[in-house]
Amino acid sequence: MGRYHSFPSDNYNYKLGHTDNGRYFGTEVECQGEEVFSKYVVDKFGDIFHCEHDGSIGVGFEMISQPMTLQFVKDNYSRISEMMTYLAQRGMKSHDTTCCGYHIHISRKAFKDDRAIDRFSALTTCFKSNLEVLARRKEGYYYR
């Protein structure tokens, strides 16, 4: 595998679903286990995810979604669930590890102005203890 983020991708950075408001979301899921399963992800779900090697997790890979609308996620939930179930049944882990993470990206246009960003930041501060439970990491580690 070699260097950090080394999987090439032909379908890099196109948007899934249509929205007039510019709100798109994306995810990065780091998982440990046999890297051969990245081929399964790309072959069967390459329209949604591409895979990259991530040197921070050791043996495994990172699945990175294209930017997508919430409606697209809802419409494709069963496909995404099928992929995650397949990987879990084959021993891939992305939680209860010491190095894997799950990242959520939100498009800038999801926030209509700087005050909206301030409110979002305030939510993360006010609900810090809830975020720590969700992230299963203490402050300083869940947003690192």
Side-chain angles (χ1 to χ4, degrees):
M1 286 276 179
R3 62 189 175 85
Y4 187 82
H5 287 170
S6 63
F7 282 93
S9 176
D10 295 335
N11 63 349
Y12 211 57
N13 204 22
Y14 60 89
K15 294 178 173 69
L16 302 174
H18 175 74
T19 180
D20 292 328
N21 60 23
R23 290 182 185 138
Y24 289 93
F25 306 90
T27 63
E28 296 180 24
V29 181
E30 298 169 346
C31 52
Q32 284 185 312
E34 294 188 42
E35 294 172 350
V36 68
F37 293 117
S38 65
K39 181 170 176 18
Y40 163 81
V41 172
V42 172
D43 287 350
K44 191 158 181 169
F45 304 96
D47 58 321
I48 301 174
F49 293 94
H50 70 275
C51 294
E52 296 183 0
H53 177 73
D54 185 329
S56 69
I57 61 174
V59 178
F61 55 92
E62 181 173 27
M63 299 177 291
I64 303 169
S65 78
Q66 302 298 338
M68 51 193 155
T69 63
L70 184 57
Q71 189 60 51
F72 182 89
V73 174
K74 290 177 181 179
D75 292 345
N76 287 275
Y77 180 82
S78 63
R79 286 186 67 213
I80 296 168
S81 179
E82 172 191 340
M83 179 186 76
M84 297 297 189
T85 300
Y86 178 92
L87 294 171
Q89 289 173 341
R90 282 148 185 85
M92 298 299 295
K93 292 185 176 194
S94 64
H95 64 89
D96 292 334
T97 71
T98 59
C99 58
C100 291
Y102 177 76
H103 312 146
I104 300 171
H105 300 269
I106 304 171
S107 65
R108 176 66 172 91
K109 290 184 178 180
F111 303 96
K112 68 180 187 177
D113 56 32
D114 287 343
R115 287 197 43 133
I117 293 173
D118 291 342
R119 287 190 301 273
F120 184 78
S121 295
L123 281 172
T124 63
T125 301
C126 292
F127 294 101
K128 180 179 86 165
S129 62
N130 299 84
L131 285 174
E132 289 175 352
V133 170
L134 178 66
R136 291 182 292 206
R137 294 182 180 175
K138 293 290 183 193
E139 181 180 10
Y141 291 95
Y142 64 82
Y143 56 77
R144 196 170 57 157

